[in-house]
Amino acid sequence: MSRPTVRAAVLYPDHAVTVTEVVLDPPGPGEVEVEIAAAGVCRSDLHAIEGHWPVPVPAVLGHEGAGIVTSLGAGVTGLEVGDHVVLSWVPACGSCRHCAARRPWLCEPADELIFAQGVLYDGTSRWHKGEDRLHHFFGVSAFAERVVVPSSGAIPIRRDAPLDVVAIVGCAVATGVGAVLNTAQVPAGAEIAVIGCGGVGLSCVQGARIAGAARIVAVDVNPAKLAIAKALGAHDTVDVSQADTVIALRDLQPAGFDYVIDAIGHVETTEQAIAALGMGGAAVIVGAPRAGETARFDPLALVDAGRRILGSNYGSTDPRRDFPRLVDRYMTGELDLDTLISGSRPLTEIGEALKQLADGHALRTLLIP
Ligand code: COD
Ligand code: ZN
C-alpha cells in the first residue's frame, strides 16, 4: 500500500528550494512522528542553501519547529501520541561520553551521523521522492507537514503554550539565551555587548536581561533591529553601518566588556568580539563562519588580561532541561518571544520568507504547513 505523501520544502544541490510532495516513512525504533504546527526560518537555513557549510543534499530543510506527536516507533518511552513538542537539532544519543557527562549539545553520534550525513541513527533516511532518498536536515527537517525524528529530538512541553510561538525556542532562543545563561554563565552586574541583533542575538540580549546584567549594549548595522534590541532590554545601541565596532564599543566602555557575544559569525565580528573585551572578559562565539575560515587575535592581550574565547554550540543547551524552562519563562512574561516573530506564512511562501530574512526585513518568520 502506498503511503500518503507529505508536503515539504526540499533543498537541491543546485541551491534551489522547492515545495513538493514527498514520502515520509513511518518512525523506526526509537523515533517519533510529529505533525508540524509551525517552523521558524533561521539564518542557518540560508547558510545551508548558499552552500557555506557541507550539508548533505537533497534534503528536507528547516531545523526550528514545534508540533504534536502523531505516532511512536518501537521502544519509545517518555513520549505519548498527542504530546506537544518543541524539536531539537541535537537529538542526543544519550550514551556517548559527552551525553554521559551531561553535555548533550556535544553529542558525538549526533554530530557525525545526524549532522554530517543527514540521516537518523540507523544510518538511513525516512524521506524519499520516487526512487530517490532525501536527507534529513540537522535531524529535524521542520519545513514539512509531518516529520520523523529521534525521540530525543522531540521535547515535550506544557500544552497551554502556543506552538506557533514556542517553535522558535528550538533554535534562536535556545541558542541565544543559552549562550548567556549556560555557556558564559553571565553573573548579575556584568557588562555585556551583543554583536548582531537577529533572532539569535536578540535572544542573547534577553538572556543578559534575565541574568541581571548591569549594562547591555546591542550592535547591528540595521537601525530597526537596534530599536527592537532596546525594547527587549538593551541599555545602549550602536549602529555600526558607518562606524568601526571596536572603536564604537571602546568609546562607550573604555575599559572593555566582561562579555562580548558574536551572534553573527563573520570572521570580522569574531575578531571584534575578542578585541572589545576588558580585563578577564570572555568572548562568546555563537555564529559560525563559512567552513575553513580563520580569525586573528592578539594572544599576548589574551594572556596578559586573562581573557577567554568560548565557543557556544546550541547555547550549551540540554533540551530536556532547558526547553520546558524557556517555555515557562515565556508563559510568565519573563521572556518575550512575540517580538521576535515578524509574521507567519504558508509553507509554500518559503521563498519570500527566506528573501525577507536575507534582506534584513524579518526576524523570525514562521512557516505554517
Ligand atoms: N555588524 C553588526 N551587525 C551585523 C553585521 C555586522 N558586520 N552584519 C550583519 N549584521 C546583523 C544583521 O543586520 C542582522 O540583524 C544580524 O546581524 C543577523 O541576524 P539574522 O536574523 O540574519 O541571523 P540569525 O539570528 O537567524 O542567526 C545568526 C546565527 C549566528 C545563529 C547563524 O547565522 C549562525 O551562524 N549559526 C551557526 C551556529 C549555529 O548554531 N548553527 C546551527 C543552527 S542556528
Ligand atoms: Zn538556527
Side-chain angles (χ1 to χ4, degrees):
M1 196 182 77
S2 68
R3 287 259 297 164
T5 57
V6 173
R7 205 189 294 174
V10 180
L11 169 63
Y12 288 98
D14 64 355
H15 310 282
V17 178
T18 307
V19 177
T20 181
E21 296 287 330
V22 301
V23 172
L24 179 64
D25 291 337
E31 299 166 3
V32 298
E33 185 188 78
V34 175
E35 184 176 67
I36 298 292
V41 182
C42 175
R43 171 73 48 178
S44 294
D45 297 308
L46 277 175
H47 282 302
I49 293 167
E50 288 161 12
H52 295 168
W53 303 327
V55 169
V57 285
V60 178
L61 205 58
H63 63 280
E64 180 182 272
I68 298 176
V69 175
T70 43
S71 108
L72 305 176
V76 171
T77 55
L79 278 172
E80 284 173 20
V81 170
D83 277 349
H84 290 205
V85 293
V86 171
L87 301 177
S88 155
W89 52 259
V90 184
C93 77
S95 52
C96 72
R97 71 193 177 98
H98 290 296
C99 286
R102 299 196 180 173
R103 295 188 296 261
W105 60 93
L106 296 180
C107 172
E108 285 174 351
D111 189 45
E112 287 158 12
L113 272 171
I114 300 211
F115 237 70
Q117 295 184 36
V119 292
L120 299 186
Y121 277 116
D122 69 352
T124 69
S125 167
R126 302 296 153 266
W127 298 110
H128 51 103
K129 185 165 179 69
E131 295 301 303
D132 297 330
R133 283 272 150 184
L134 305 173
H135 291 93
H136 296 254
F137 181 66
F138 287 14
V140 177
S141 296
F143 298 161
E145 290 168 307
R146 282 181 284 116
V147 301
V148 169
V149 299
S151 60
S152 61
I155 312 302
I157 56 153
R158 55 196 275 180
R159 291 195 182 193
D160 58 343
L163 288 170
D164 59 356
V165 175
V166 298
I168 67 169
V169 165
C171 182
V173 177
T175 301
V177 176
V180 175
L181 299 185
N182 297 333
T183 310
Q185 300 185 8
V186 169
E191 295 170 327
I192 178 165
V194 178
I195 306 176
C197 297
V200 173
L202 291 170
S203 297
C204 295
V205 168
Q206 296 209 62
R209 189 194 68 228
I210 291 167
R215 187 175 204 189
I216 306 168
V217 178
V219 179
D220 205 287
V221 293
N222 182 336
K225 302 283 178 79
L226 291 172
I228 298 170
K230 200 133 204 186
L232 293 177
H235 304 105
D236 299 285
T237 60
V238 187
D239 179 349
V240 291
S241 56
Q242 310 291 332
D244 178 275
T245 295
V246 177
I247 294 173
L249 286 175
R250 288 272 169 206
D251 280 349
L252 269 179
Q253 178 101 355
F257 286 83
D258 298 323
Y259 298 89
V260 184
I261 301 193
D262 171 13
I264 301 173
H266 294 168
V267 168
E268 74 263 22
T269 54
T270 297
E271 292 173 346
Q272 288 158 357
I274 299 166
L277 293 174
M279 296 287 284
V284 188
I285 313 305
V286 174
R290 293 179 191 210
E293 291 184 339
T294 53
R296 293 169 70 91
F297 62 90
D298 176 354
L300 182 60
L302 208 70
V303 177
D304 269 355
R307 295 178 177 133
R308 294 171 297 148
I309 304 172
L310 309 175
S312 184
N313 183 27
Y314 209 0
S316 309
T317 292
D318 177 343
R320 285 249 164 197
R321 179 195 65 192
D322 294 339
F323 284 10
R325 284 189 194 168
L326 289 166
V327 170
D328 282 345
R329 288 189 197 272
Y330 169 68
M331 297 299 281
T332 60
E334 193 186 5
L335 182 63
D336 181 346
L337 303 185
D338 300 290
T339 300
L340 299 180
I341 297 171
S342 313
S344 60
R345 292 174 173 275
L347 180 60
T348 45
E349 291 179 12
I350 181 173
E352 289 87 337
L354 289 164
K355 188 171 181 306
Q356 278 200 313
L357 180 64
D359 292 348
H361 294 313
L363 283 167
R364 277 311 199 252
T365 300
L366 291 175
L367 297 174
I368 312 292

